[in-house]
Amino acid sequence: MSTPGQTSSTKITYATMSAERMEDLHRELDRAIEQIKSTFGRNYPLVIGASHIQLAEQFEARSPIDTRILLGRFPRAGVEHVRSAIGEARAAFPAWSARPWRERVTLLKKVADRIRARRWELSALMGYEAGKNRLECVGDVEESADLIEYYCNQIEQHDGFEVTLGTLGPNEENSSVLRPYGVWAVISPFNFPLALAAGPSGGALVSGNTVVFKPASATPMLGYALAEVMVEAGMPPGVFNFITGSGSTAGQELITNGDVDGIVFTGSKDVGMHLIRDNATRLTPRPLVIEMGGKNPAIIMKSADLDKASDGVYRSAFGAQGQKCSACSRVYVNGQIRDEFVRLLVEKTRKIKIGNPLDRDVYMGPVINEDAVRTFERAVERARNDGGEILTGGRRLTHGDFAHGHFVEPTIIDRLPVDHPLFAEELFVPITLIGDVTTLDDAIVLANRTEYGLTAGIFSEDDREIAQFFDRIQAGVTYVNRRAGATTGAWPGIQPFGGWKGSTATGKAGGGFYYVQQFMREQSQTVVD
Ligand code: NDP
């Protein structure tokens, strides 16, 4: 029998690079992909307290693989619905926060178990909704359960964060307790539609907070699935509320409403900074746990194993169609080995199979929507106009099976000056740029010359270079000689995931040692007889 997170022999993470010997996984997915189709086209509700609320105002969730596939219709929540969800969360807070932490841990572990129990169905749904390939989807689902469980384990390992302190005199007892804030808004992006909803929600809930959760409008189906597993696990009404609607209306109300005590947001720097600016104008400060974008470099030195380096770059540049905050989107390569490295990278990129990501052997599916296609096309045109050379890719695909989806080619751009804006802007599409360097010093200066600081890697067989890289690189997730590429092995308790600089507001990584504490505040308690 499989243990949680595993097929009969293999745990699926983002570092899992091959589906060989995974016949069990594929059989389960084949079945789930067929079965899930019967659920398409339904109307979905908001979940506010104990009520499931349908609205006349709706928006459609369609598959980026083929936009003729209507996945479901979702309510377009207005300000009044968001307020009502916040009200329910507030009403549920006293009882939820008063529960012994062990009970909350038990319940949240049930949520993780429910996610695992539904892993194939959720993965199949994610393939349709987010357009990610099979292993990416299973990895996302498994990580969701592991993140929740990891935060539960941390609370257990720290005895509920209740610590007995020293005393200043006789008859005195002092202790420190971490306590929840109240109502948290959880706002998530489209690209990890379950992990970046379940992880933050799990952290907030196990700490004793209640939650109002809004998924990205591109991925409401997985958002609703999370609301379902909360109910299945026995979450009391009002503790976890689910709303859908536009960022500018429903999302905006979540960030401006004074009855929200904390916000956990993952998404673009634009929206994240908007949220931070709003917070700065408030009469009372409140905690923000914010993870934003990336423009992630890889450095290839003369001593590098170029087979490993080209694997690492193409996987992290084009995995999930470049729509990972961790995606490698610029490469600084030593001039002496650049030709051979570029040759290998182009060769491997040309072999990438693009297609329906639910097919077994497809590596790249569609980008999420037409906006992403336009971003891709504009960047390619701009590169061409400014003297860039498209080494491979550069086109939208519209023939045959691609005709009704958002498919573009993995693209490598060369010969742009290293100070070109495309080396600085997060594009979030499958494009990576090549820049030449002569020394490690040049490479590190260029790698750090960005507002972001999410991931960074080096390929080098020289220990001094590696030490210098770790010492000077400004990024939250760093790696050396990793064939799997950037963060594609990020995992709770193994490789925490979070940024520096403009990629974060806190620098405390998801799945890391310091994450769950952010949902609580310290209270010192002194009792004198
Ligand atoms: P967006 O910033 O566009 O959206 C993120 C969420 O914010 C969505 O739920 C969106 O809702 C909501 N939103 C939009 N406007 C507002 C507003 N005014 N007030 C409140 N909420 C709002 O990001 P994407 O979904 O496009 O995700 C991609 C981005 O996420 C990239 O920049 C990527 O780097 C980043 N990211 C960062 C990660 C990290 O760990 N650092 C991990 C994953 C992604 P709606 O969809 O309805 O507009």
Side-chain angles (χ1 to χ4, degrees):
M1 209 184 106
S2 302
T3 51
Q6 295 184 320
T7 66
S8 51
S9 59
T10 314
K11 182 169 179 81
I12 305 300
T13 73
Y14 305 117
T16 309
M17 292 187 286
S18 145
E20 284 164 31
R21 297 190 306 276
M22 287 192 205
E23 196 46 40
D24 290 355
L25 174 146
H26 284 304
R27 244 197 319 271
E28 297 282 4
L29 277 175
D30 287 341
R31 223 187 337 257
I33 288 163
E34 268 318 297
Q35 283 171 353
I36 199 79
K37 290 180 189 165
S38 65
T39 68
F40 290 169
R42 295 182 185 160
N43 292 336
Y44 288 84
L46 308 174
V47 183
I48 299 182
S51 308
H52 284 56
I53 299 168
Q54 302 275 358
L55 298 180
E57 276 279 288
Q58 290 180 319
F59 65 96
E60 293 179 341
R62 288 185 176 271
S63 175
I65 302 168
D66 182 337
T67 54
R68 293 170 301 181
I69 303 173
L70 174 66
L71 301 172
R73 290 186 199 84
F74 283 83
R76 211 181 275 284
V79 167
E80 66 280 21
H81 306 108
V82 180
R83 288 184 184 159
S84 160
I86 295 168
E88 290 291 337
R90 184 149 291 289
F93 175 70
W96 179 245
S97 57
R99 277 201 186 196
W101 61 262
R102 285 187 182 80
E103 284 185 20
R104 290 199 302 264
V105 163
T106 303
L107 216 164
L108 265 301
K109 285 193 176 180
K110 278 192 194 149
V111 174
D113 288 345
R114 284 304 305 152
I115 291 173
R116 290 190 182 114
R118 292 178 60 178
R119 59 161 77 81
W120 307 121
E121 167 216 342
L122 295 175
S123 302
L125 184 58
M126 193 181 299
Y128 274 109
E129 187 176 45
K132 302 206 284 188
N133 73 26
R134 287 184 170 206
L135 290 184
E136 290 283 355
C137 291
V138 179
D140 192 325
V141 173
E142 298 288 8
E143 189 187 28
S144 307
D146 282 10
L147 279 165
I148 294 175
E149 192 165 65
Y150 182 73
Y151 301 140
C152 290
N153 292 343
Q154 274 187 309
I155 302 254
E156 282 180 323
Q157 279 157 16
H158 293 91
D159 240 345
F161 290 102
E162 296 166 0
V163 181
T164 303
L165 303 174
T167 58
L168 285 174
N171 309 325
E172 185 182 295
E173 283 176 14
N174 292 304
S175 54
S176 157
V177 187
L178 289 190
R179 309 200 59 190
Y181 283 91
V183 177
W184 277 69
V186 176
I187 303 176
S188 63
F190 75 84
N191 63 334
F192 288 88
L194 198 57
L196 292 177
S201 297
L205 291 169
V206 74
S207 310
N209 302 281
T210 55
V211 161
V212 179
F213 161 55
K214 189 197 110 52
S217 293
T219 50
M221 299 283 287
L222 264 297
Y224 181 73
L226 180 62
E228 270 184 338
V229 296
M230 293 284 176
V231 173
E232 289 164 10
M235 196 62 73
V239 173
F240 182 86
N241 303 275
F242 167 73
I243 56 163
T244 48
S246 73
S248 55
T249 304
Q252 185 62 33
E253 178 59 21
L254 275 178
I255 67 175
T256 46
N257 192 299
D259 277 336
V260 170
D261 301 296
I263 302 174
V264 48
F265 167 87
T266 317
S268 63
K269 183 159 177 280
D270 276 357
V271 178
M273 290 306 293
H274 167 66
L275 214 159
I276 291 167
R277 278 191 291 273
D278 171 90
N279 213 42
T281 64
R282 310 183 73 80
L283 288 176
T284 321
R286 62 184 172 185
L288 303 178
V289 176
I290 294 188
E291 295 299 329
M292 299 178 280
K295 186 74 185 179
N296 307 296
I299 297 172
I300 321 295
M301 298 308 296
K302 203 168 63 182
S303 63
D305 173 335
L306 296 185
D307 183 50
K308 223 187 264 177
S310 49
D311 267 357
V313 168
Y314 99 77
R315 288 178 193 284
S316 49
F318 305 127
Q321 295 76 263
Q323 299 172 120
K324 286 188 180 183
C325 45
S326 58
C328 170
S329 49
R330 48 198 181 112
V331 186
Y332 298 110
V333 55
N334 178 279
Q336 292 185 40
I337 42 99
R338 70 107 61 207
D339 288 351
E340 179 57 7
F341 168 77
V342 167
R343 187 189 69 73
L344 282 171
L345 181 63
V346 169
E347 185 183 295
K348 289 175 185 180
T349 302
R350 287 195 176 131
K351 286 188 185 147
I352 288 176
K353 179 148 189 203
I354 311 169
N356 183 335
L358 292 165
D359 291 350
R360 288 184 180 212
D361 56 344
V362 165
Y363 186 73
M364 258 185 75
V367 293
I368 192 70
N369 54 27
E370 276 303 304
D371 281 354
V373 173
R374 273 194 291 276
T375 301
F376 173 89
E377 289 178 327
R378 269 199 304 266
V380 169
E381 194 186 339
R382 195 162 154 207
R384 280 208 177 97
N385 290 342
D386 294 346
E389 185 185 340
I390 313 298
L391 296 180
T392 185
R395 291 172 310 173
R396 177 184 196 156
L397 299 174
T398 51
H399 57 281
D401 289 345
F402 299 123
H404 299 282
H406 310 298
F407 292 90
V408 299
E409 291 176 323
T411 300
I412 301 171
I413 299 177
D414 198 6
R415 307 290 173 202
L416 282 178
V418 288
D419 58 356
H420 191 279
L422 287 177
F423 273 97
E425 294 163 18
E426 184 188 48
L427 300 170
F428 224 58
V429 292
I431 292 180
T432 199
L433 289 90
I434 309 286
D436 286 355
V437 289
T438 27
T439 64
L440 177 60
D441 190 58
D442 290 346
I444 292 178
V445 168
L446 288 172
N448 287 340
R449 195 191 287 167
T450 168
E451 55 184 333
Y452 298 107
L454 199 38
T455 75
I458 188 170
F459 291 86
S460 162
E461 300 297 323
D462 179 332
D463 288 346
R464 276 169 316 176
E465 286 178 345
I466 293 168
Q468 205 185 337
F469 168 79
F470 277 137
D471 199 36
R472 292 178 52 202
I473 197 71
Q474 296 168 358
V477 185
T478 58
Y479 61 99
V480 175
N481 294 335
R482 194 140 196 265
R483 207 181 269 281
T487 79
T488 41
W491 212 258
I494 296 171
Q495 189 187 21
F497 190 71
W500 285 16
K501 302 192 330 192
S503 295
T504 185
T506 63
K508 311 252 182 1
F513 304 128
Y514 315 106
Y515 185 77
V516 75
Q517 296 91 325
Q518 299 176 101
F519 296 97
M520 295 174 272
R521 48 193 166 177
E522 185 169 12
Q523 183 173 63
S524 73
Q525 299 178 341
T526 297
V527 179
V528 182
D529 278 347

